[in-house]
Amino acid sequence: MNEQWERQKLEIDSYNTFYSAIKGEITGEGLLDLGYRLVGRFLTVPDLRNDVKAKPDFVLYDGTTLLLVEVKSGNNISNRTIEQMERCNNLSIEAAQDFLKESSFNSPNRDPDDLRNIQSCIVYYDDNIEECRKHESCVEALNELEKHAAILTQQKGDTLQLDSGPVVDKELENTLSSGLQLPEAPDKNIYLTEGVELECLAFSVCHDCVVNNMAHGRLSLSPSGVRERYQNRSIPMDRVRTVFRFLDEIGACRKTDNGEYEFTHAHMGTIVSVQDYLADKPVDEWIDDTSDSQVGLDDFI
Amino acid sequence: MDLDSHDLKGEKTQKIVSELIDHVVKSDEEIAVERESKRPQTTELKVFVAETQEFELGTLNREIETLSQLDGATQHAIDFIDEHNFTEESLNEEVSFVEITTPNYKRTDQFIFVSEEQYLKVITAERREWTKKTVEKLIQYLPCLNRLFLSSEDLRDIVDTLPGTTIVGFTAKYHAYHTEKNATIQFHGGTKKDLERVQEEFGAKPTRLEFEQSNSPEAVLHSSVDREGYFKYTSVLQGYEQHGRETLEQIFEEIENHDRQHFGIEFVPQKKPRGDGFSLEGFTTLRLLEENGNSQRELITELQEDILDRKRRYEYSEWDSGNFLVFDKETNEPFEIGIENQDIVLHAKEATSSGTFRDFCHIILDEFNSTYRMEKSSAKVNA
């Protein structure tokens, strides 16, 4: 079993599980129904006056409250995490308004000028918080963390729930206190982890770029073309090339003479099942096994 | 059917449809004789409804040629094209006159194609035996056409919405992956009460509803609607031709509304760049709901074995227990399945269109479990 992929999978799951709480997949009641709309993922909210930059995983806005949500799949509460939430909490209202105005977010009845509250939230898997409460040092860190953010727990098939910490919006507080029902199998809309490791990048290329562009039964992609699709993430070119070599290696595509990679019907079985290969061993190892015979001049061009 | 396209050329759509309705206009006496003889009626007007995906009237032969050269075209499709000749003549902007010739049988079948917005209606008075061999195959094979599929609840709804209707017969079916029981009940002369009883006793749901429409007290129209994007007129009482055409238009509208309600994909999780990150536009989720299924584990196993493994059109992998990432090789589109207790939940991906959802639901209701109810939700998330 490839532990790197297992860890990435847990992270991908954590984002998608939280995203399903926005949609309200099960009961039809989600953050969406409370009036929150998704401003975006991976956005930077700068506050020049206070010299801070917040980089939450999700930003949502309901017309009064800006929700800054950090989603964690691991179980440690580091000083870095506490500082991260502190930065979110220290944003000034003016900076948040400016950010909204400049973000191209445009939603009826959700005027950036009406923004009154900034609400930081951090979401953990519920068993991680449960475990944390058994250890004194972890409880201390948790107490520190809840000074800066509301701590929420989530679990597939269970609920998104308020654990501790302050929630300004009363309606949101009520909903989160009683818990938002989460699906057992949230659908995947987010494929990349924060670190954009090779495995999740390979998964994303298959399930984002390839399967959604097969209208003509075949598709040609080049590493640089794929990189353009991730224009807002800084992904090293080398990493994209490695992913293509991996896909070629497992028979998920065919390298053509002009350096592009071709995907046809015959490859779709492998494309869709790419995670089975990733679960088997890391991308590097797939390539290393064959690197002697596979490396050619065009891999360096 | 013996239509002369010259007579219809340039006419308004209403007039052309009226010409077709004339094929089933019958007098009181004729209707009474037919009813008593219990023989199959001489002529019936049939309508097949399909969703069009980039299909335009006037391009039928080009579409057929494209199909013949398509990588994924099946041998059945190629044989069908080889064994038939197709002609299309435009009658007005939204209507074409189409003839399909079968040289081996020295036979030509005639059809009127009416295309409005994203739906195509094929109207004909040819015998069903021949529509099955010709135009229904054409709809099945052309990738730009996707024949509609309605739920049992839709059929009930459509008949209930039309004024003055009475159910006079039905076919109802029951089968489910978790039981050996299997029922097909055809009830001629069956009423709404009979249907309800069949539903309660056997769990059978209607796949076809036969109804009469009255203009009190006289029955002026005899028709039936079928789940498979198909309905027919058996008779229209003489003097009520205009009423017949208006009802036809109403049925079109009802069918299309129900189709959009279930399979219309209004929002997809398209990633839109925003600031230095991105946002997701929205979602469409279609749930197949079941009140009394068996264990979730059994549902997951059976769905995998009976449908995903057995149907060669699907490639899939399991992300987690009961969570499948699927690619449909016939529509070339992905979608995702999540099992939630007894329910099957379908999630649209960026490229998923209604045809992929429709076909999957058709397969599930037809071959896996006839008792699911469909419920869709679709919303914008980023604004």
Side-chain angles (χ1 to χ4, degrees), chain A residues 35 37 61-63 105-112 114, chain B residues 380 382-383:
Chain A
R37 295 293 178 270
Y61 183 53
D62 75 337
F105 174 77
N106 186 0
S107 179
N109 307 321
R110 289 176 189 82
D111 189 336
D114 294 336
Chain B
K380 207 170 167 70
N382 70 345

Side-chain angles (χ1 to χ4, degrees), chain B residues 208-220:
Chain B
R208 184 189 63 92
L209 280 185
E210 206 177 316
F211 65 92
E212 267 178 6
Q213 192 178 31
S214 306
N215 190 352
S216 62
E218 240 175 346
V220 295

Side-chain angles (χ1 to χ4, degrees), chain B residues 214-230:
Chain B
S214 306
N215 190 352
S216 62
E218 240 175 346
V220 295
L221 195 140
H222 193 122
S223 171
S224 73
V225 283
D226 194 288
R227 268 201 331 193
E228 315 264 335
Y230 162 60

Side-chain angles (χ1 to χ4, degrees), chain A residues 9 13 25 37-39 41 43-44 103 107 156 183-185 188-189 208 212 218 232 265 272 275, chain B residues 71 269 271 274 276-278 287 296 317-320 323 325 329 332 336 340 347 349 351 381 383:
Chain A
K9 222 178 139 173
D13 258 344
E25 234 164 70
R37 295 293 178 270
L38 180 67
V39 180
R41 287 257 311 137
L43 298 177
T44 311
S103 70
S107 179
K156 289 200 265 187
E184 291 199 37
K188 266 140 291 307
N189 295 290
D208 229 350
N212 283 306
R218 56 177 64 232
N232 285 331
H265 259 184
V272 173
Q275 52 160 328
Chain B
D71 276 351
K271 294 186 175 73
R274 182 172 277 173
D276 59 344
F278 67 89
R287 306 170 70 87
Q296 177 164 331
S317 69
E318 197 173 16
W319 173 264
D320 211 345
N323 186 187
L325 301 161
K329 286 191 286 188
N332 286 324
E336 186 167 344
E340 301 287 337
H347 302 283
K349 300 275 134 181
V381 172

Side-chain angles (χ1 to χ4, degrees), chain B residues 348-359:
Chain B
K349 300 275 134 181
E350 206 176 315
T352 314
S353 67
S354 42
T356 298
F357 269 10
R358 193 185 289 115
D359 286 357

Side-chain angles (χ1 to χ4, degrees), chain A residues 5 7 23 43 72-73 116 155 195 206-207 248 258:
Chain A
W5 171 239
R7 195 177 33 75
K23 294 192 288 172
L43 298 177
K72 296 284 182 199
S73 54
R116 293 291 170 268
Q155 202 64 261
C206 292
H207 285 278
D248 191 18
N258 61 9

Side-chain angles (χ1 to χ4, degrees), chain B residues 224-279:
Chain B
S224 73
V225 283
D226 194 288
R227 268 201 331 193
E228 315 264 335
Y230 162 60
F231 71 94
K232 67 180 180 188
Y233 268 17
T234 321
S235 65
V236 173
L237 185 66
Q238 224 161 41
Y240 287 89
E241 291 83 351
Q242 193 187 335
H243 178 94
R245 184 180 52 72
E246 284 165 5
T247 301
L248 196 78
E249 280 162 12
Q250 232 176 325
I251 298 177
F252 284 155
E253 207 180 304
E254 284 298 318
I255 288 181
E256 291 169 7
N257 284 344
H258 280 85
D259 181 66
R260 273 191 212 105
Q261 202 182 318
H262 295 315
F263 302 118
I265 295 185
E266 288 89 6
F267 301 104
V268 292
Q270 197 186 359
K271 294 186 175 73
K272 304 260 186 183
R274 182 172 277 173
D276 59 344
F278 67 89
S279 192

